[in-house]
Amino acid sequence: MTAPDTRGLSRNDLAISTAFLVALAATLGALFIGEVLGQMPCTLCWYQRIAMFPLVPILAISLWRGDGLARLYGLPLALSGLALSGWHSGLYAGLIPQSIAPCTKDGPSCTDQAQTILSLPIPYLAFIAFAAVLACLIMSKGKRP
């Protein structure tokens, strides 16, 4: 009979667990803003949610099964979400020479002061969340031996 492994979380488990917690916090934050505070997301925020929300079950299932497939399924979502939130942040900051039309056309403007958390606008928070998830997925080893 062998003794149980008492080393704690492996580097891979820690990276995927961190990515899961970041994705869960971003998802719960978005749901809180929309459902509790009643603030409708703009078009670009909807697209970012499409990339973030599936990361939670993907990362959770990968942790539960211990198969390390989070990279395979999570990387495309994290990359697309990072690109979308980068574009959105660029529009917000005025780095991209275009008005924030998607934010005002069908929903509230992300330039509204009510659309900030901890003095950071929602597009920046989404960018930080996607970057953190992407970094964690890159740091993970992928399939476990």
Side-chain angles (χ1 to χ4, degrees):
M1 180 177 240
T2 60
D5 186 10
T6 58
R7 293 179 297 175
L9 290 174
S10 69
R11 177 179 165 222
N12 190 55
D13 287 338
L14 185 60
I16 301 300
S17 296
T18 303
F20 168 74
L21 291 174
V22 169
L24 181 63
T27 297
L28 292 176
L31 290 172
F32 179 80
I33 291 168
E35 300 301 321
V36 176
L37 299 179
Q39 297 177 4
M40 291 296 299
C42 72
T43 304
L44 289 174
C45 288
W46 273 118
Y47 295 148
Q48 291 166 58
R49 287 179 181 199
I50 291 169
M52 182 63 75
F53 287 6
L55 283 171
V56 175
I58 287 170
L59 296 169
I61 290 169
S62 181
L63 279 171
W64 177 61
R65 291 181 56 189
D67 61 8
L69 290 175
R71 283 180 76 166
L72 178 64
Y73 299 112
L75 278 175
L77 289 169
L79 283 169
S80 61
L82 186 67
L84 283 165
S85 61
W87 178 263
H88 198 184
S89 296
L91 285 172
Y92 180 87
L95 299 174
I96 298 173
Q98 182 180 357
S99 65
I100 306 181
C103 293
T104 57
K105 182 179 175 193
D106 297 327
S109 173
C110 290
T111 59
D112 185 10
Q113 192 63 9
Q115 299 287 335
T116 61
I117 298 172
L118 302 173
S119 299
L120 287 172
I122 292 173
Y124 294 175
L125 291 172
F127 184 81
I128 292 167
F130 280 115
V133 169
L134 186 63
C136 290
L137 288 174
I138 290 171
M139 288 186 340
S140 71
K141 292 184 285 188
K143 281 197 162 227
R144 295 184 187 172

